[in-house]
Amino acid sequence: LGLRRLVHDPISGRFTATIISPAEGPTVYEATLTGRTVPIVSIPVLAAPMRQGDVISERDVVMLQVPAERINSSVILNADDIVGMTPRRSVSANTPIRDADVHAPIIVERGNPVTIRLNHGAIALTAKGRAMDDAARGDVLRVMNISSNRMVDAIAIAPNAVQISLP
């Protein structure tokens, strides 16, 4: 096949092309094709379905080519933005993943006992507490000190471990 003429409107995406057969020598067949071009975007999707609480690793992610018109601003475009995250609810394989579909894994769960750490210079103190909120690593949450029943704001630093700072 050969292409004799091609007209493309980049704004509408419409095109008209005249193809010939064979590409060289006397033309035996000629046809005019019309259509619309569609930009394609590569997005990260899950290779297999995942449930809430599963942590997404690099091997769980594959790239999928989809028409750009199927993508909105909430769809994640970079695989690095979903690796290490966990689904908020079950996510199907080969479907676009939105920002709202994933979050950082919860390392401190509401109601669970936690170790409260305070580091100040050479002094390190620990106390037992109870988490009043769910939190991912680096999130601020409310914690109740079990000994004093006082509420403090802390930062989740490890599974069931939080850190507070002196004002």
Side-chain angles (χ1 to χ4, degrees):
L1 291 176
L3 185 63
R4 179 170 285 162
R5 185 176 78 96
L6 175 64
V7 177
H8 180 255
D9 179 1
I11 295 172
S12 69
R14 293 287 200 194
F15 71 89
T16 302
T18 302
I19 59 168
I20 57 171
S21 176
E24 296 181 16
T27 300
V28 176
Y29 179 78
E30 182 175 313
T32 301
L33 300 174
T34 60
R36 185 173 69 98
T37 58
V38 178
I40 301 295
V41 177
S42 184
I43 61 167
V45 296
L46 297 177
M50 294 189 86
R51 296 180 307 202
Q52 180 180 5
D54 294 342
V55 177
I56 301 168
S57 69
E58 284 185 35
R59 70 177 182 274
D60 297 321
V61 179
V62 294
M63 298 306 282
L64 181 68
Q65 305 289 322
V66 296
E69 61 195 17
R70 284 189 50 204
I71 304 302
N72 63 34
S73 62
S74 68
V75 172
I76 296 174
L77 302 175
N78 189 340
D80 293 338
D81 294 340
I82 62 172
V83 171
M85 303 294 265
T86 186
R88 289 187 191 278
R89 58 195 141 291
S90 293
V91 176
S92 302
N94 297 316
T95 59
I97 300 170
R98 298 172 297 134
D99 293 329
D101 293 337
V102 293
H103 63 90
I106 300 298
I107 61 170
V108 175
E109 292 183 6
R110 180 180 183 195
N112 283 357
V114 294
T115 300
I116 303 170
R117 296 180 183 165
L118 170 67
N119 294 325
H120 187 69
I123 299 173
L125 300 173
T126 62
K128 296 206 179 287
R130 182 164 316 282
M132 305 311 287
D133 304 304
D134 289 337
R137 186 176 310 276
D139 286 350
V140 175
L141 71 150
R142 293 175 305 127
V143 176
M144 182 178 67
N145 182 322
I146 300 226
S147 301
S148 66
N149 286 334
R150 290 190 57 190
M151 298 293 262
V152 294
D153 288 333
I155 297 172
I157 58 170
N160 298 323
V162 300
Q163 183 170 326
I164 58 174
S165 302
L166 290 176

